[in-house]
Amino acid sequence: MTPEQLALLVWAAVVPGIPPPPDGPPRLVPADDGPGWRSPAALRLALGLARTPYEVASEAAARLLGHPDVWTAGVLGDGMLDLVLTPAAAGTVVSRVLSGDGVDRTAPRRLATPALPRPGCRRRDDPVFSLIWAHARARSVTTLAATQGIEPGPVGALLTDLAEGALLTALAAFPDDVARTAPTGDTTV
């Protein structure tokens, strides 16, 4: 499940039967302290519903718990929704990253991080190098497996550690993070 799909699911739980605004539902943010997502939808919409944010968030959390892709749903503070996807739903991010789905290949973009060394200058102790190497290796293994007739299966059942879930949340949020850090109008990677 992508962050966009989860935001739509949250919207439907907060205000059932009402379509999201043209600019989309309120964005979700990755939780700082684990594998989940946080949504301010109930906080933003409660006044228009003439209810407290906590009431709106509690009802939305109860609706979300009935969804097969939601592992936990709760309320933080006065009405911030706190969600964790099931390992299977979070695992779809791995397939999306490996296949390149959701990546706009028509307009290359540059990550605005001037402190990072240029690609030719990466070293093994550089965390960006490690991430790039791991992605390339995963793609290589997937390609080799496909030539042998081995199709990738769902990875969700293999993900049981909270750190794995947090990594998948960060990977799912990565395209949005890149968009936020890239200068306006910059379309090179």
Side-chain angles (χ1 to χ4, degrees):
M1 176 173 288
T2 66
E4 297 81 18
Q5 292 168 329
L6 183 57
L8 288 171
L9 180 66
V10 168
W11 177 271
V14 172
V15 284
I18 299 174
D23 59 342
R27 294 168 47 111
L28 293 126
V29 294
D32 294 349
D33 56 354
W37 295 90
R38 305 273 163 77
S39 172
L43 291 166
R44 293 185 182 169
L45 299 170
L47 183 62
L49 299 172
R51 312 210 24 239
T52 68
Y54 186 82
E55 290 172 331
V56 173
S58 295
E59 289 178 10
R63 287 183 191 104
L64 289 164
L65 282 173
H67 193 278
D69 290 335
V70 176
W71 192 352
T72 64
V75 182
L76 299 176
D78 291 334
M80 179 72 75
L81 280 166
D82 182 43
L83 309 162
V84 177
L85 295 174
T86 63
T92 60
V93 173
V94 173
S95 300
R96 185 173 153 218
V97 168
L98 289 177
S99 69
D101 288 350
V103 177
D104 181 6
R105 300 196 186 286
T106 60
R109 295 174 22 174
R110 179 175 55 82
L111 180 63
T113 51
L116 294 176
R118 294 200 303 220
C121 302
R122 299 227 189 271
R123 299 183 322 247
R124 286 192 178 274
D125 61 344
D126 179 1
V128 174
F129 172 85
S130 299
L131 183 62
I132 292 169
W133 181 87
H135 180 263
R137 183 69 183 132
R139 295 287 302 255
S140 173
V141 168
T142 303
T143 302
L144 179 62
T147 63
Q148 300 296 317
I150 302 169
E151 293 296 320
V155 296
L158 304 174
L159 306 171
T160 57
D161 189 85
L162 287 178
E164 293 167 339
L167 175 61
L168 292 176
T169 300
L171 285 173
F174 182 73
D176 287 340
D177 292 343
V178 171
R180 277 194 301 275
T181 58
T184 304
D186 190 357
T187 59
T188 59
V189 172

